[in-house]
Amino acid sequence: MVSPDSLAQAEYKYGFVTDIEEETAPRGLTEDTIRWISAKKQEPEFMLEWRLRAFRHFLTLVEKEQSPKWANVHYPPINFADGVYYAAPKKDRPESLEDVDKELLDTYEKLGIPLEEQKRLAGVAVDAVFDSVSVATTFKETLSKQGIIFGSFNEAVQEHPELVRKYLGSVVPYTDNFYAALNSAVFSDGSFCYIPKGVRCPLELSTYFRINAAEAGQFERTLIIAEEGSYVSYLEGCSAPMRDTNQLHAAVVELVAMDNAEIKYSTIQNWYPGDENGVGGIYNFVTKRGKCAGNNSKISWTQVETGSAITWKYPSVLLQGDNSIGEFYSVALTRGYQQADTGTKMVHLGKNTRSKIISKGISAGHGQNTYRGLVKVMPRASDARNFTQCDSLLIGDQCGAHTSPYVEVQNSSAHLEHEAFTSRVSEEQLFYCQQRGMSAEDANSLIINGFCKEVFQQLPFEFAVEATRLLEVSLEGSVG
Amino acid sequence: MLEIRNLTASIGGNRVLNGVNLTVERGEVHAIMGPNGSGKSTLSNVLAGHPQYIVESGEAVLDGEDLLALPAEERARAGVFLCFQHPVEVPGVRLDQFLRAGYNAIHKSKGLEELDPLQFDRLLQGKAGIVNMEPSMLKRSVNDGFSGGEKKRNEILQMAMLEPRLSILDEPDSGLDVDSLRLVADGINQLRSPDRSVILITHYQRILNLVVPDVVNVLMGGRIVRTGGVELAEEIETEGYEGQDEVLQAQG
Ligand SMILES: Nc1ncnc2c1ncn2[C@@H]1O[C@H](COP(=O)(O)OP(=O)(O)O)[C@@H](O)[C@H]1O
Ligand SMILES: [Mg+2]
């Protein structure tokens, strides 16, 4: 029998498992685990030290039971001592793409991210992360000709330790929060990207994160540095197999933009959301922050969040340079029993800084969607401006939308604007579309896409198409 | 041909239509006139299949097909078009995309070719001239920030694109200035043809000077109380609606 609830739960198309031999860290979380991971990666001493400092800090937080409690999400306590903190395909990362395991190539192809030369998306360089490690990076040579460094975090640690050392933790210190501390201690890989002075990155850079192993959590770090006058557009995608246990994904992303530099960071998040009864799915507890370190710099976050059982993330911008700009565009969809508590922090430090927040929450089924945002204007930040708009769309009457916008202003010249709307897909709109011949489903997806338009148009074209399709698939059967 | 027999319907618990009888032959333009609240929009919505309106009894048959049994989109695909009295806004959805979605859905259901954006654009640009619609308006969100006149012209443009067999125009003239009224009337006249039927609902006789109807009906209290030629519209223009329902009773 089909219940209305299961209707609000569309098929998850990325739920397959790749059959590949993986090596995992011994179960548990002690200093030995940290040393094991660091040794596995043959890391320089400074990395191990940093991890251990983070781990010791993490232990004090565990002791004080300081995992975040303020978010509007509910889940049973996680037993951190019982987790598996590293999993990677047994074979080492091959030198060239041709030597990547067929199972892995097939996996990414199935996910719509072909890595092989002849099938690749034009104009997009991809770093493929499988569980704890990066397994392949495309277009590396093309990029390195312009001095752009793009590849796995591990490689960067080996080949550019001075850059890693300088910037690691400079935007999100391990003391920032519980999950940032945990990530700093156990993170295994991720993407690293460095754009030299004056270079406009000719390709979209993209990382695709795939969780495969059954028990391991995924803890990756991304670090992007845009030197003076440079530009980069970066995109992150993710998915995971369907399993009935919850898996933890606790990533940290740090962005640094120097004078006149611009970083555009887009995410299409499609982690497994759990089944129609709310069993299984990924806990997505992520810390993302950018620092507009230079004058006239710009950092723009765009996110389309359709997956995960629980999403907890606040991509933020520290507007340190004068005239710097921070933007946050978000579509968060919750259906089934998904919970999302997401938003942003815009911290105005420099003069004449501007920020813009456009948040679109869509709730269906029993989904709960919370926008949580903070706009903070520091004393030195004269003439700061913020525009915030958070809209919610409800589908059905079992779901919920909540907004918690916070404002802290310490400079009276600040100018802040806030708009918020909650709406339902109205019967009048549906009827109007159907009167023109559209089916109820098509009408719904048209209206919902319209609702998300300001966010989707921020995405690079191919990904806007992907996001539209993903939303359609996710909402299949939840309306009409 | 449309045949409505003894149609009774309610909205929000109010019985609004009390046994409507109306026959519209192919190629005819029928005016329906009536005071505010007489059930004109209710009749339009019931014929188009708005889910909030409840049909209690009676029937509506279009070329042998039982309209009332079909969901709204099937009626649209069968050639029923409703020009809304108050068209709703659809924020973020571009007018040309909205129109193409409807056009292609109807074409697909008939096994006809669907148009890609380029082909569709060419067709749309051509039709936009009929109602003097700026090309830039076609890229704006559906009805979002449109003036009253722009909304009505947009409805007529949609009708011109979809070429319906039965057009139900719910006060396409209300709130229009003289220029817009002429554009709207021209649009309706261009669509007139021996195999299309039009129900033109209006409060005033004004538009009927531009779109000359074959038959004029008066709707009052949820019933068609009088039927006649253009002279009936003129009579109402000078004497008002008062007493029209008594004429019916007097006629017996
Ligand atoms: N949603 C509704 N709920 C209850 N009554 C309604 C609703 N819509 C219309 N009505 C009532 O139905 C009657 C007919 O309305 P309508 O068909 O819009 O008239 P007209 O278009 O002729 O002005 C009016 O008395 C109106 O108040
Ligand atoms: Mg009306």
Side-chain angles (χ1 to χ4, degrees):
Chain A
M1 202 187 77
V2 183
S3 74
D5 289 349
S6 69
L7 280 178
Q9 189 71 29
E11 198 75 31
Y12 184 73
K13 298 194 172 157
Y14 308 91
F16 63 90
V17 177
T18 305
D19 186 13
I20 192 165
E21 245 196 306
E22 294 204 63
E23 175 172 30
T24 54
R27 182 175 290 280
L29 185 57
T30 63
E31 286 207 2
D32 286 343
T33 322
I34 314 296
R35 290 179 195 282
W36 188 94
I37 294 172
S38 189
K40 190 88 223 147
K41 317 230 142 247
Q42 300 167 352
E43 285 178 346
E45 194 58 25
F46 83 89
M47 281 299 304
L48 176 62
E49 304 265 290
W50 192 75
R51 285 176 183 279
L52 288 173
R53 280 201 300 275
F55 182 62
R56 286 168 200 146
H57 179 71
F58 176 72
L59 289 182
T60 65
L61 297 180
V62 171
E63 210 144 284
K64 288 185 267 177
E65 292 183 43
Q66 280 185 351
S67 70
K69 298 279 190 303
W70 41 264
N72 183 23
V73 295
H74 306 278
Y75 56 95
I78 301 170
N79 183 357
F80 291 96
D82 192 40
V84 173
Y85 289 88
Y86 181 92
K90 268 222 164 106
K91 270 206 218 147
D92 279 345
R93 178 182 161 118
E95 282 300 307
S96 104
L97 266 175
E98 281 72 61
D99 304 326
V100 173
D101 259 349
K102 187 161 176 344
E103 277 77 20
L104 290 176
L105 293 178
D106 288 352
T107 298
Y108 285 93
E109 175 135 17
K110 251 166 127 175
L111 298 170
I113 328 281
L115 301 172
E116 288 134 295
E117 194 94 47
Q118 60 281 13
K119 298 183 194 156
R120 288 175 195 166
L121 287 171
V124 185
V126 179
D127 184 32
V129 176
F130 191 83
D131 287 329
S132 300
V133 295
S134 161
V135 292
T137 311
T138 63
F139 290 108
K140 249 177 110 82
E141 299 74 32
T142 319
L143 293 168
S144 68
K145 277 190 198 121
Q146 300 206 37
I148 296 167
I149 304 167
F150 176 52
S152 80
F153 206 98
N154 285 332
E155 247 172 20
V157 170
Q158 303 300 333
E159 291 167 23
H160 308 280
E162 71 297 343
L163 286 174
V164 173
R165 192 170 194 163
K166 183 167 174 194
Y167 291 107
L168 179 69
S170 71
V171 188
V172 181
Y174 60 74
T175 49
D176 190 80
N177 68 70
F178 189 84
Y179 293 105
L182 176 62
N183 173 288
S184 303
V186 304
F187 84 93
S188 37
D189 207 347
S191 287
F192 178 87
C193 163
Y194 176 85
I195 317 292
K197 188 170 166 180
V199 171
R200 202 185 157 81
C201 185
L203 299 171
E204 301 279 344
L205 302 186
S206 159
T207 303
Y208 195 93
F209 294 101
R210 173 72 178 170
I211 292 180
N212 189 63
E215 288 184 288
Q218 194 178 45
F219 306 91
E220 84 280 355
R221 276 190 97 91
T222 300
L223 177 55
I224 299 178
I225 301 142
E227 288 285 10
E228 202 179 315
S230 67
Y231 167 84
V232 63
S233 166
Y234 178 92
L235 189 119
E236 166 199 299
C238 25
S239 63
M242 296 163 72
R243 300 189 197 280
D244 55 11
T245 52
N246 296 108
Q247 281 177 283
L248 180 60
H249 172 254
V252 171
V253 175
E254 297 179 281
L255 314 180
V256 183
M258 302 305 183
D259 283 354
N260 301 304
E262 179 176 349
I263 302 174
K264 212 171 134 65
Y265 191 108
S266 317
T267 305
I268 294 185
Q269 187 263 108
N270 187 26
W271 295 119
Y272 177 53
D275 72 6
E276 69 272 22
N277 299 312
V279 176
I282 302 291
Y283 290 166
N284 190 35
F285 300 157
V286 169
T287 307
K288 291 181 163 175
R289 193 172 305 150
K291 179 152 80 178
C292 283
N295 292 340
N296 311 310
S297 56
K298 178 173 174 184
I299 289 178
S300 176
W301 298 101
T302 303
Q303 61 173 20
V304 177
E305 306 280 318
T306 62
S308 295
I310 303 179
T311 296
W312 178 98
K313 93 183 237 213
Y314 314 90
S316 303
V317 185
L318 304 175
L319 296 149
Q320 190 174 289
D322 290 347
N323 312 312
S324 58
I325 299 174
E327 293 176 338
F328 174 75
Y329 298 93
S330 169
V331 167
L333 165 74
T334 53
R335 64 196 161 95
Y337 283 85
Q338 281 178 277
Q339 310 173 50
D341 193 301
T342 183
T344 185
K345 281 190 281 187
M346 294 289 176
V347 182
H348 293 254
L349 297 154
K351 294 186 177 56
N352 250 320
T353 46
R354 274 182 288 155
S355 61
K356 182 172 173 183
I357 299 169
I358 307 280
S359 161
K360 305 274 181 177
I362 304 169
S363 316
H366 293 84
Q368 293 294 328
N369 216 317
T370 301
Y371 167 80
R372 188 182 303 280
L374 171 66
V375 177
K376 191 168 181 172
V377 179
M378 302 304 278
R380 206 184 73 82
S382 50
D383 298 311
R385 270 177 292 165
N386 165 267
F387 174 76
T388 299
Q389 182 185 332
C390 32
D391 299 337
S392 311
L393 189 68
L394 303 175
I395 300 168
D397 52 14
Q398 308 276 307
C399 55
H402 321 270
T403 54
S404 307
Y406 299 94
V407 172
E408 276 178 47
V409 179
Q410 299 173 33
N411 183 310
S412 60
S413 64
H415 184 76
L416 275 55
E417 269 179 86
H418 182 93
E419 289 175 7
F421 294 101
T422 298
S423 57
R424 289 176 188 277
V425 174
S426 80
E427 201 162 25
E428 291 310 315
Q429 289 173 327
L430 277 177
F431 178 58
Y432 193 47
C433 295
Q434 287 175 271
Q435 211 306 300
R436 299 309 186 238
M438 290 172 232
S439 66
E441 293 240 297
D442 289 350
N444 258 298
S445 80
L446 193 79
I447 294 165
I448 290 164
N449 266 307
F451 176 75
C452 300
K453 182 176 179 179
E454 286 158 283
V455 176
F456 285 177
Q457 66 191 10
Q458 297 297 324
L459 291 169
F461 180 72
E462 297 86 352
F463 299 109
V465 174
E466 168 69 14
T468 306
R469 203 190 50 79
L470 189 60
L471 210 62
E472 240 160 58
V473 172
S474 302
L475 282 169
E476 236 160 55
S478 51
V479 267
Chain B
M1 179 197 68
L2 173 72
E3 245 191 299
I4 302 171
R5 277 189 292 266
N6 263 316
L7 188 59
T8 306
S10 62
I11 169 79
N14 290 342
R15 162 83 62 90
V16 179
L17 299 185
N18 291 302
V20 171
N21 287 293
L22 180 71
T23 302
V24 181
E25 298 293 345
R26 202 172 284 189
E28 281 184 350
V29 173
H30 270 241
I32 296 183
M33 302 181 73
N36 282 333
S38 60
K40 302 185 296 296
S41 293
T42 300
L43 178 62
S44 313
N45 281 309
V46 165
L47 290 176
H50 192 300
Q52 269 178 9
Y53 292 79
I54 295 164
V55 174
E56 284 167 6
S57 62
E59 51 184 12
V61 179
L62 180 66
D63 293 328
E65 195 162 10
D66 177 8
L67 275 188
L68 303 182
L70 303 175
E73 66 267 32
E74 301 277 341
R75 297 189 204 189
R77 293 167 192 172
V80 176
F81 179 90
L82 173 57
C83 171
F84 286 80
Q85 183 178 1
H86 302 291
V88 69
E89 295 171 6
V90 194
V93 176
R94 248 169 55 180
L95 178 56
D96 55 353
Q97 288 168 351
F98 172 84
L99 269 168
R100 191 167 76 92
Y103 182 94
N104 278 343
I106 290 173
H107 270 224
K108 191 174 164 194
S109 74
K110 293 179 178 159
L112 297 172
E113 192 202 0
E114 295 179 63
L115 299 186
D116 65 32
L118 271 172
Q119 295 169 314
F120 186 77
D121 241 33
R122 218 167 299 140
L123 183 69
L124 182 58
Q125 300 280 353
K127 300 269 184 185
I130 298 175
V131 288
N132 208 0
M133 181 92 94
E134 294 281 335
S136 63
M137 291 227 7
L138 303 170
K139 308 282 177 205
R140 281 171 51 185
S141 295
V142 179
N143 294 319
D144 202 1
F146 284 23
S147 70
E150 285 168 343
K151 283 186 182 168
K152 300 283 176 172
R153 271 152 52 201
N154 177 21
E155 293 293 292
I156 299 298
L157 169 62
Q158 297 188 33
M159 178 177 78
M161 287 299 294
L162 300 179
E163 303 189 315
R165 191 148 45 122
L166 171 66
S167 303
I168 305 159
L169 311 171
D170 191 359
E171 301 200 27
D173 53 339
S174 63
L176 293 189
D177 59 28
V178 187
D179 293 333
S180 292
L181 181 65
R182 184 161 286 285
L183 287 170
V184 164
D186 285 352
I188 301 169
N189 284 328
Q190 284 196 32
L191 191 85
R192 270 180 108 146
S193 87
D195 47 31
R196 298 184 204 289
S197 312
V198 176
I199 294 177
L200 173 54
I201 293 171
T202 180
H203 194 86
Y204 302 105
Q205 188 239 351
R206 193 172 65 146
I207 192 172
L208 303 182
N209 294 329
L210 302 171
V211 181
V212 182
D214 300 295
V215 182
V216 175
N217 305 277
V218 179
L219 181 74
M220 282 181 83
R223 279 198 179 86
I224 303 288
V225 293
R226 282 189 77 188
T227 297
V230 281
E231 72 289 343
L232 180 52
E234 281 154 21
E235 182 188 323
I236 286 166
E237 187 70 9
T238 49
E239 292 170 29
Y241 287 105
E242 214 161 310
Q244 288 295 335
D245 43 348
E246 281 146 36
V247 175
L248 175 80
Q249 275 152 19
Q251 284 170 343

